[in-house]
Amino acid sequence: GKAARPCSLGGGSVSPLPPQGSPDPPAGGAGRAREEKPSSFLGTKWKDTAEIVIIGGGCIGVSLAYHLAKAGMKDVILLEKSELTAGSTWHAAGLTTYFHPGINLKKIHYYSIKLYEKLEEETGQAVGFHQPGSIRIASTPTRVDEFKYQMTRAGWHPAEQYLIGPERIQELFPILNMEKVLAGLYNPGDGHIDPYSLTMALAAGARKYGALLNYPVQVTNLSPRSDGTWEVETPHGIIRTNRIVNTAGFWAREIGTMIGLHHPLIPVHHQYVVTSTIPEVKALKTELPVLRDLEGSYYLRQERDGLLFGPYESQEKMKLQESWVTNGVPPGFGKELFESDLDRIMDHIEAAMAMVPVLKQADIINTVAGPITYSPDILPMVGPHQGVRNYWVAIGFGYGIIHAGGVGKYLSDWILGGEPPFDLIELDPNRYGKWSTTQYTATKARESYGFNNIVGYPKEERFAGRPTERVSGLYKVLKSKCSMGFHAGWEQPHWFYKSGDEIGYKPSFRRTNWFEPVGREYKQVMEKVGVIDLTPFGKFIVKGNDSVKLLDHLFANVIPKVGATNISHMLTPRGQVYAELTVSHLSPGEFLLVTGSGSELHDLRWIEEEALKGGYNVEIKNITDEMGVLGIAGPFARKVLQKLTIEDLSDSAFKFLQSRYIKLSDIAATAIRISYSGELGWELYHRKEDSAALYNVIMEAGQEEGIDDFGTYALNALRLEKAFRAWGAEMNCDTNPLEAGLDYFIKLNKPADFIGKQALKQIKEKGLKRRLVYLTLETANIDPEGNESVWHNGRVVGNTTSGNYSYSTQQSLAFAYVPTELSKVGQKLEVELLGQNYSATIVEEPLVLTEQTRTRLQKKGGSAKV
Ligand code: THG
């Protein structure tokens, strides 16, 4: 075929685009769709046992099958209900890019592109991969700042990325109207691929390595067995398997529903249009780079001698397919499309015509409106699911083509290796929970779609769908007094308003309206006493005969004595940090485990799986939603609390890291003497119904001491000055606890052979290649926040992990990973912020001593810093 054909709407089965880029279309790829005879599974092999059953034959599922089989897994079975690529893959626009505004997904993109480059050679299947590069266009000064911000976040990654000026942009994209163009973010090697051929190549590879791809085979039911294995029911018989992976695209909800899960997914109508031949395009000697006009919110690429143009409509205009969530996907929906609606994208078409004027003369010869699955935050869900053993997902892909290769490899490595090969926490399926309702999902998907091209600020907050039904007992009391942050469904105060403040959420690439207020809260805690809502912590009770044994196996620290609390880490078998929790031994054999809000189900899944796998006799209860938590911290914390209880709170009677059941003016609470601020403080765990009352009595009691609220931004400033590491920043499964400087919490000599112990001993023996260092730097109106490039002698040598302003020493500070040889105190380095390298110095930690240390030094008669 010459150009693209008009697509048939509803019920049609013609592919949206002809295969392109290779003179010889791959076998079965020429006419595609119906012409391709799906080889009935009856004609191939049918097996009724499998190591793994992958449900769904889109690019994601097929990539997983390919990677598992290639890595040597036997008995990989993929079941597809109609034919490979049916659903979303077949009509995808096929864009590939190295760019991702986040961090870990850059690795996925990178792997995918490197794989796609060599797939034809490996499998003999052409994939129509074009790599003309891509340019993101900035036409506002803020957008230029965003690009600078993204440059420092990309600088310590391998993919090439350049901030380029108008001249270079014009050279690369000669038919661009340069009037509004200020700058471009250029990624050589970006481009597009034919999604159908890509999937067929991966399928050919998967078969070559021994995977069975069986279709059409519909999964009709899933039954878990008591040993953690599964029975997968199909019209052709039952398959017994050790593990299931749901890769069913917009049918993934249907699969989840079979086992009582409600995956937060919703299909959106994504449209793109293809033009007829444009003489100016035809005349070009080289293919145009892919253009992303962020202000106009669309992508545009060359399609043969015409252009292909795909917009992201605003949240008001975009269209969701809600009926598929409420009533299910129409059973026969395979290679069909929705009715297209050009009116909806008119604004974007006009923006594109202004930017690329030759479009004005072009005819639209093809319009594609296809279903793409969105999750609330448009990031996919990839990994094992909490609450159901051996049920994994790889679902919610809004950009499945660029993610397929990398995610297939990532999951395959995780499944075979028993732990994630690298940190990809933002894709953890367990970031959602019961609070992610259908209503929430729809509202959020709408927002996410509309925000596809908005400016991505640091500390971004999005407001649709809030609050969820998961609110703290203090939400009503606090909501008008502060700027709230969203954490795992909860609203938690970031910072509090005072008269004279510029209130509300005012994001910026530089210091902004919360800079002064956070300093005020910081001072409040350092000099007086502050109260913070910590309800969003994940909280679990572990008890039973084997609780001590289980925790000794899970945690690298020793088990605290009854009445005591420990900071403790769960390591992976490779000796990396899986999680950081506090463990409080409440009564003999009964423990309270507390983790950050973002890691609740992530941690719970791990604990539950180990308990089941090892046959431990324990009861594990998630009490996150039942318990409120108030933190009180600062030099007057003791004085204020003492007014409310008969319990002796003196330093010798209620020691640091002790926990105790107490009554505060008749309200029952488990009090732990701990504070992530590093100041004198307690955390008060209480029934959520009592939160407001407890808050009120404490505020009342603290009048004289000038008690006030503080939020998580001040808490972060406080913990950084104390050099407390944060999970997800300084430590994660990319880091071992020794390079993170967590040695103090890791007890390699404890008798129990805890997970990761052996690996960590070897790591220690070999010596560390890099180390976490503590940096101070002088800047102008900007602070590091993590993920920035760290330079030395004109080369990027590492990356920051978090950062902030140090309100007491009045300079910026940051944690960073650098090679061991550059990790000594006094070493000079540079940190790149918004296009400028600031000189930084490694200093001894901490900048400010903890209350604990200050008190200890004072008792010894020493003089304390601060
Ligand atoms: N409170 C509770 N649980 C938590 C946190 C919390 N779980 C998750 C996360 N936060 C755990 N992180 C820390 C890290 C450090 C400290 C507390 C929680 C801390 N460190 C002191 C220090 O390093 O000087 C004390 C260390 C010691 O002596 O053991 O307080 O905030 N409940």
Side-chain angles (χ1 to χ4, degrees):
K2 198 180 124 267
R5 295 150 292 184
C7 67
S8 74
L9 302 175
S13 58
V14 180
S15 70
L17 295 175
Q20 54 138 296
S22 65
D24 287 314
R32 301 159 57 176
R34 283 305 138 84
E35 285 98 314
E36 194 232 3
K37 267 264 173 307
S39 50
S40 157
F41 72 87
L42 294 170
T44 63
K45 254 166 84 183
W46 176 261
K47 285 177 76 171
D48 50 17
T49 58
E51 180 57 36
I52 194 163
V53 170
I54 300 165
I55 304 170
C59 59
I60 304 294
V62 176
S63 172
L64 177 58
Y66 163 87
H67 282 96
L68 284 170
K70 188 173 179 177
M73 184 183 271
K74 302 276 178 270
D75 299 325
V76 175
I77 296 182
L78 181 147
L79 302 178
E80 160 55 47
K81 74 199 274 281
S82 59
E83 55 187 292
L84 300 183
T85 79
S88 294
T89 299
W90 75 285
H91 63 69
L95 297 177
T96 54
T97 178
Y98 283 111
F99 178 85
H100 193 277
I103 295 302
N104 298 318
L105 271 153
K106 292 188 207 302
K107 296 180 189 164
I108 294 290
H109 290 218
Y110 187 86
Y111 177 89
S112 291
I113 291 174
K114 294 299 173 203
L115 172 70
Y116 301 168
E117 283 172 353
K118 51 182 202 227
L119 213 48
E120 178 172 353
E121 191 186 327
E122 180 184 343
T123 64
Q125 293 267 0
V127 294
F129 197 13
H130 292 232
Q131 297 181 278
S134 86
I135 312 173
R136 286 173 170 73
I137 297 294
S139 41
T140 67
T142 306
R143 199 62 87 166
V144 179
D145 275 351
E146 183 188 26
F147 287 0
K148 290 178 179 166
Y149 173 71
Q150 286 303 338
M151 283 306 290
T152 187
R153 292 159 66 83
W156 49 288
H157 290 269
E160 283 178 86
Q161 179 169 301
Y162 305 97
L163 183 57
I164 59 176
E167 238 165 73
R168 180 84 177 110
I169 297 172
Q170 183 81 88
E171 210 176 282
L172 290 162
F173 205 107
I175 56 171
L176 195 65
N177 172 6
M178 298 301 294
E179 234 167 87
K180 294 192 177 147
V181 176
L182 298 176
L185 205 59
Y186 174 47
N187 292 95
D190 279 13
H192 52 98
I193 195 165
D194 171 25
Y196 177 86
S197 304
L198 167 66
T199 309
M200 287 306 149
L202 290 167
R207 288 193 192 98
K208 179 168 111 181
Y209 300 118
L212 289 185
L213 311 181
N214 287 345
Y215 52 91
V217 177
Q218 179 158 14
V219 171
T220 50
N221 200 20
L222 298 172
S223 317
R225 296 168 53 90
S226 59
D227 61 355
T229 65
W230 288 89
E231 284 183 357
V232 180
E233 292 172 30
T234 80
H236 315 285
I238 288 174
I239 304 177
R240 296 264 315 258
T241 184
N242 289 331
R243 194 185 319 248
I244 292 169
V245 187
N246 180 353
T247 60
F250 58 69
W251 285 287
R253 281 185 76 98
E254 266 78 354
I255 300 296
T257 305
M258 291 176 185
I259 54 175
L261 295 176
H262 301 286
H263 297 310
L265 301 173
I266 189 164
V268 305
H269 291 219
H270 181 62
Q271 303 198 75
Y272 63 83
V273 300
V274 183
T275 74
S276 57
T277 292
I278 299 172
E280 289 86 345
V281 174
K282 193 177 170 134
L284 293 168
K285 289 201 187 64
T286 52
E287 184 178 345
L288 287 169
V290 178
L291 194 78
R292 289 181 180 80
D293 173 7
L294 304 176
E295 253 52 58
S297 192
Y298 61 85
Y299 54 80
L300 180 132
R301 69 163 172 83
Q302 193 170 333
E303 170 68 17
R304 305 197 158 208
D305 294 330
L307 295 171
L308 181 154
F309 157 83
Y312 292 100
E313 304 101 285
S314 67
Q315 44 180 319
E316 296 77 26
K317 282 201 176 152
M318 65 86 74
K319 198 166 169 193
L320 291 171
Q321 191 62 33
E322 272 162 307
S323 71
W324 287 13
V325 175
T326 42
N327 309 331
V329 183
F333 201 100
K335 287 195 163 178
E336 280 116 287
L337 293 167
F338 296 128
E339 195 89 42
S340 67
D341 176 5
L342 290 183
D343 282 351
R344 223 167 63 220
I345 61 172
M346 240 17 214
D347 295 351
H348 304 271
I349 293 180
E350 275 162 26
M353 290 194 300
M355 203 48 115
V356 185
V358 299
L359 271 173
K360 290 181 200 156
Q361 273 85 52
D363 294 323
I364 292 177
I365 55 164
N366 195 358
T367 312
V368 175
I372 291 186
T373 320
Y374 263 52
S375 68
D377 59 10
I378 11 173
L379 292 176
M381 284 97 95
V382 176
H385 203 287
Q386 187 272 330
V388 193
R389 281 189 90 187
N390 298 320
Y391 172 75
W392 293 51
V393 295
I395 55 181
F397 289 83
Y399 312 100
I401 303 306
I402 186 56
H403 291 160
V407 163
K409 170 71 170 156
Y410 172 81
L411 262 190
S412 160
D413 283 357
W414 188 347
I415 288 166
L416 292 164
E419 65 181 272
F422 56 87
D423 178 60
L424 206 46
I425 194 68
E426 59 268 58
L427 304 196
D428 190 336
N430 307 306
R431 69 186 182 276
Y432 295 114
K434 292 207 174 65
W435 52 271
S436 341
T437 59
T438 300
Q439 177 62 42
Y440 173 80
T441 304
T443 307
K444 234 34 202 176
R446 193 166 268 292
E447 178 188 53
S448 291
Y449 193 84
F451 281 4
N452 244 297
N453 288 313
I454 62 155
V455 173
Y457 287 102
K459 297 192 165 63
E460 188 188 51
E461 279 297 316
R462 294 186 174 188
F463 295 93
R466 294 168 55 176
T468 68
E469 47 201 57
R470 190 177 215 196
V471 287
S472 146
L474 288 180
Y475 176 68
K476 283 207 185 93
V477 183
L478 301 179
K479 71 173 180 185
S480 61
K481 295 169 51 174
C482 65
S483 179
M484 290 278 189
F486 187 74
H487 302 278
W490 302 95
E491 300 289 328
Q492 190 174 29
H494 274 160
W495 60 279
F496 285 83
Y497 305 147
K498 291 269 182 249
S499 64
D501 288 347
E502 187 191 348
I503 68 168
Y505 168 67
K506 304 273 156 64
S508 168
F509 292 101
R510 298 179 176 76
R511 288 176 193 150
T512 180
N513 63 330
W514 59 73
F515 181 77
E516 296 292 338
V518 171
R520 183 173 64 218
E521 289 170 26
Y522 168 90
K523 208 161 168 254
Q524 175 72 30
V525 175
M526 289 301 289
E527 295 175 3
K528 295 179 183 167
V529 54
V531 172
I532 183 169
D533 185 7
L534 297 173
T535 302
F537 276 152
K539 311 155 214 115
F540 319 122
I541 294 286
V542 177
K543 60 183 177 191
N545 285 343
D546 293 338
S547 60
V548 171
K549 235 166 65 190
L550 172 66
L551 298 185
D552 219 13
H553 161 72
L554 283 169
F555 286 98
N557 206 342
V558 293
I559 303 305
K561 297 201 178 71
V562 176
T565 297
N566 257 353
I567 290 119
S568 216
H569 299 83
M570 299 199 290
L571 308 184
T572 69
R574 277 193 299 141
Q576 308 289 87
V577 181
Y578 185 79
E580 180 184 72
L581 297 88
T582 53
V583 177
S584 299
H585 204 159
L586 299 180
S587 65
E590 183 185 2
F591 296 87
L592 170 66
L593 271 47
V594 179
T595 188
S597 58
S599 44
E600 175 195 350
L601 300 181
H602 164 269
D603 294 6
L604 185 61
R605 182 196 70 84
W606 185 267
I607 297 166
E608 287 174 341
E609 177 61 23
E610 286 300 323
L612 282 168
K613 212 165 61 184
Y616 293 90
N617 178 12
V618 290
E619 190 194 327
I620 301 166
K621 219 175 141 212
N622 185 0
I623 56 163
T624 301
D625 286 328
E626 296 154 39
M627 291 235 119
V629 188
L630 267 186
I632 177 168
F636 301 147
R638 175 178 290 121
K639 204 168 152 209
V640 171
L641 280 193
Q642 192 66 81
K643 296 180 194 179
L644 297 170
T645 182
I646 52 165
E647 196 76 31
D648 182 357
L649 301 181
S650 66
D651 193 41
S652 50
F654 201 144
K655 295 195 177 73
F656 182 57
L657 295 181
Q658 283 191 334
S659 67
R660 191 161 308 168
Y661 172 80
I662 65 173
K663 279 204 154 174
L664 292 154
S665 153
D666 277 346
I667 299 168
T670 296
I672 307 179
R673 191 173 149 201
I674 190 172
S675 173
Y676 199 47
S677 68
E679 293 303 307
L680 172 66
W682 281 264
E683 289 172 356
L684 307 166
Y685 294 77
H686 57 275
R687 295 187 323 151
K688 210 166 82 177
E689 306 85 87
D690 293 337
S691 288
L694 181 60
Y695 174 82
N696 288 335
V697 296
I698 291 173
M699 285 317 219
E700 195 59 37
Q703 284 302 308
E704 226 178 302
E705 289 74 20
I707 198 164
D708 212 340
D709 299 293
F710 72 107
T712 55
Y713 282 1
L715 187 61
N716 191 45
L718 288 154
R719 73 97 187 167
L720 268 164
E721 286 191 347
K722 308 298 192 315
F724 289 180
R725 279 82 173 138
W727 178 84
E730 283 71 53
M731 70 189 96
N732 58 27
C733 67
D734 288 338
T735 61
N736 69 61
L738 304 179
E739 62 194 6
L742 293 165
D743 315 46
Y744 172 78
F745 302 103
I746 309 295
K747 303 290 153 60
L748 284 173
N749 313 325
K750 82 169 186 178
D753 195 21
F754 61 86
I755 302 173
K757 186 182 191 180
Q758 296 314 324
L760 202 54
K761 278 184 170 167
Q762 281 174 14
I763 290 168
K764 193 170 180 174
E765 228 161 79
K766 278 198 194 129
L768 301 173
K769 289 197 194 71
R770 57 168 200 164
R771 286 190 158 270
L772 188 70
V773 297
Y774 198 52
L775 299 168
T776 58
L777 54 154
E778 297 291 340
T779 64
N781 197 29
I782 186 169
D783 299 297
E785 60 141 18
N787 295 318
E788 291 104 357
S789 295
V790 177
W791 295 74
H792 178 66
N793 277 347
R795 280 189 329 119
V796 176
V797 294
N799 60 283
T800 59
T801 51
S802 50
N804 211 57
Y805 184 69
S806 163
Y807 288 94
S808 60
T809 69
Q810 296 176 12
Q811 59 193 329
S812 291
L813 84 156
F815 273 122
Y817 276 104
V818 295
T820 304
E821 62 274 17
L822 294 175
S823 67
K824 285 206 186 65
V825 168
Q827 174 73 47
K828 298 281 181 204
L829 298 163
E830 286 157 51
V831 175
E832 179 188 339
L833 301 173
L834 279 194
Q836 195 175 328
N837 279 14
Y838 292 93
S839 82
T841 312
I842 300 181
V843 296
E844 208 171 313
E845 51 181 85
L847 278 185
V848 176
L849 297 177
T850 62
E851 177 268 341
Q852 248 325 89
T853 312
R854 290 187 318 251
T855 306
R856 191 156 37 83
L857 291 178
Q858 268 161 21
K859 277 184 187 156
K860 288 203 315 205
S863 69
K865 193 151 79 161
V866 174

